Amino acid sequence: MNRTQHSDRPLVLGIESSCDETGVGIVRGTALLTNTVSSSMEEHVRFGGVIPEIASRAHLDAFVPTLRQALADADVTLEEVDAIAVTSGPGLAGALMVGVCAAKALAVATGKPLYAINHLVAHVGVGLLQDGVRDPNAGPGSLPENGLPENSLPENLGALLVSGGHTEILRIRSITDDVELLGSTIDDAAGEAYDKVARLLGLGYPGGPAIDALAPSGNAKAIRFPRGLSQPKYMGTAEEPGPHRYDWSFSGLKTAVARCVEQFEARGEEVPVADIAAAFQEAVVDVITSKAVLACREHGITELLLGGGVAANSRLRQLTEQRCSAAGIRLTVPPLSLCTDNGAMVAALGAQLVMAGAAPSGIGFAPDSSMPVTTVSA
């Protein structure tokens, strides 16, 4: 790659295969050219969750057609690409392997530099893409009209990542080399809890959209479900923080919902599915937003990016916007299509690494299913 020619607006192809979406995205600097995604979700529905072997085989089938479609939509060729970026972790080991092997093959065949990208940090990098600064259908909490500043992330930036596999609050000093984990879930991720509760309520998979659609018809105050790790012994104070001040736990909430359903059934009463869905969702978004805003206030974070698949949840967007506004925090939420796993976010972070002059990863790295969020690139 000619760094002097393309260092300011590199053309980067990003590949994502960490779970059940095969994504290929192409960006030029911070301009999004295409975001092509092939999902295998329908193949997992009857199992009530993602089956790793099925996901891996689906990636194998979908990768070449998805790549061809992305190149055609962006109207570019592989020869024109300056660099390739690929999710190397975290994620499902077999699924990651498909994307990484494909990216290595492309890098060897084309001679392009290859960057191994952290999937979670990529959810932050997607906030820099200027082509998706507004989503008219996103509702409350959508990306502000001007988006994030072009080519740079603002100072005092934090990120709240909420997905099927992760719930984390981060402080971002530099998207290319300085990401700090402030808090995370100690058991189930929020999206995982949604799927499990939806199964208990007979709502099917994926659980997030089903519960979000049903909750408005229920009474969120009808049942009081627990907010995990919110007791004083876990929270502590700003001066003497408790062991889990900014952490979450959703396993107890899931158990509480199960016991609630069992009690209604034991009494021979109809289970109030809508009320339980509404109360469960309120418990999740309440504890997520309260702890995230607390972390922001106590660490001087004035800009917050909300990302991950559960960022599509309407109530999470609404309450995050309300609480950030009350705390003087500017909230950014990418369009819905860029919240879920996709290749565009991988390309976006890859472009940031290229523009920062970071050395490519080469082809000697291996996928890391448990890659820590503090590792931006392998």
Side-chain angles (χ1 to χ4, degrees):
M1 182 184 69
N2 186 330
R3 289 182 180 275
T4 59
Q5 182 180 355
H6 297 291
S7 60
D8 56 339
R9 298 184 70 232
L11 184 65
V12 179
L13 183 147
I15 298 169
E16 156 62 25
S17 70
S18 65
C19 191
D20 60 342
E21 285 96 3
T22 306
V24 177
I26 301 175
V27 306
R28 189 182 296 279
T30 57
L32 174 60
L33 302 187
T34 186
N35 179 36
T36 306
V37 178
S38 174
S39 176
S40 63
M41 182 178 293
E42 291 301 319
E43 299 180 46
H44 305 282
V45 169
R46 66 191 178 100
F47 299 103
V50 176
I51 305 301
E53 178 66 18
I54 292 176
S56 300
R57 291 178 180 273
H59 288 309
L60 283 170
D61 293 337
F63 178 73
V64 171
T66 305
L67 173 63
R68 286 175 173 166
Q69 187 64 53
L71 292 170
D73 291 344
D75 193 23
V76 301
T77 65
L78 282 174
E79 290 73 21
E80 295 175 293
V81 168
D82 295 314
I84 299 169
V86 62
T87 294
S88 63
L92 301 175
L96 289 169
M97 183 68 73
V98 176
V100 167
C101 288
K104 289 182 178 181
L106 286 176
V108 171
T110 62
K112 308 296 182 180
L114 177 60
Y115 291 82
I117 298 297
N118 187 304
H119 170 88
L120 299 177
V121 184
H123 275 298
V124 182
V126 78
L128 284 168
L129 295 178
Q130 298 298 305
D131 225 13
V133 294
R134 281 189 293 175
D135 180 0
N137 301 314
S142 60
L143 189 66
E145 184 167 335
N146 295 323
L148 292 174
E150 188 172 5
N151 292 328
S152 64
L153 289 172
E155 295 181 356
N156 305 318
L157 175 68
L160 174 60
L161 304 183
V162 190
S163 70
H166 303 275
T167 305
E168 300 177 331
I169 180 73
L170 313 174
R171 177 161 57 182
I172 315 294
R173 292 189 180 91
S174 167
I175 195 171
T176 58
D177 60 15
D178 194 348
V179 176
E180 179 185 1
L181 178 65
L182 299 179
S184 65
T185 178
I186 65 170
D187 41 55
D188 290 351
E192 185 180 6
Y194 266 92
D195 287 338
K196 291 178 178 178
V197 167
R199 190 180 305 123
L200 289 170
L201 298 178
L203 298 178
Y205 175 84
I211 290 177
D212 193 27
L214 181 62
S217 64
N219 178 7
K221 297 182 179 179
I223 305 165
R224 172 72 182 185
F225 286 126
R227 276 65 168 163
L229 301 183
S230 60
Q231 299 92 336
K233 65 179 179 179
Y234 297 120
M235 296 294 293
T237 64
E239 292 74 24
E240 296 184 16
H244 296 292
R245 187 167 179 80
Y246 310 127
D247 293 332
W248 296 277
S249 171
F250 299 107
S251 63
L253 172 59
K254 174 198 65 181
T255 301
V257 172
R259 296 292 176 267
C260 179
V261 172
E262 290 172 357
Q263 289 168 5
F264 278 103
E265 292 176 340
R267 294 193 297 265
E269 300 176 9
E270 181 179 354
V271 177
V273 176
D275 288 348
I276 293 176
F280 162 77
Q281 175 158 280
E282 196 64 22
V284 172
V285 301
D286 178 28
V287 73
I288 286 178
T289 55
S290 62
K291 287 205 168 198
V293 170
L294 177 66
C296 289
R297 294 178 67 172
E298 294 184 352
H299 287 83
I301 293 171
T302 56
E303 304 262 355
L304 182 67
L305 175 74
L306 176 62
V310 184
N313 180 277
S314 62
R315 181 57 179 151
L316 178 62
R317 285 174 170 246
Q318 181 185 55
L319 192 56
T320 307
E321 169 65 27
Q322 291 174 357
R323 288 181 168 172
C324 281
S325 178
I329 299 167
R330 181 174 180 264
L331 177 67
T332 295
V333 186
L336 297 180
S337 62
L338 296 180
C339 288
T340 52
D341 297 345
N342 60 83
M345 69 185 195
V346 179
L349 181 54
Q352 291 297 312
L353 289 166
V354 173
M355 290 187 286
S361 304
I363 61 171
F365 68 92
D368 183 356
S369 59
S370 58
M371 177 182 285
V373 71
T374 50
T375 301
V376 177
S377 177

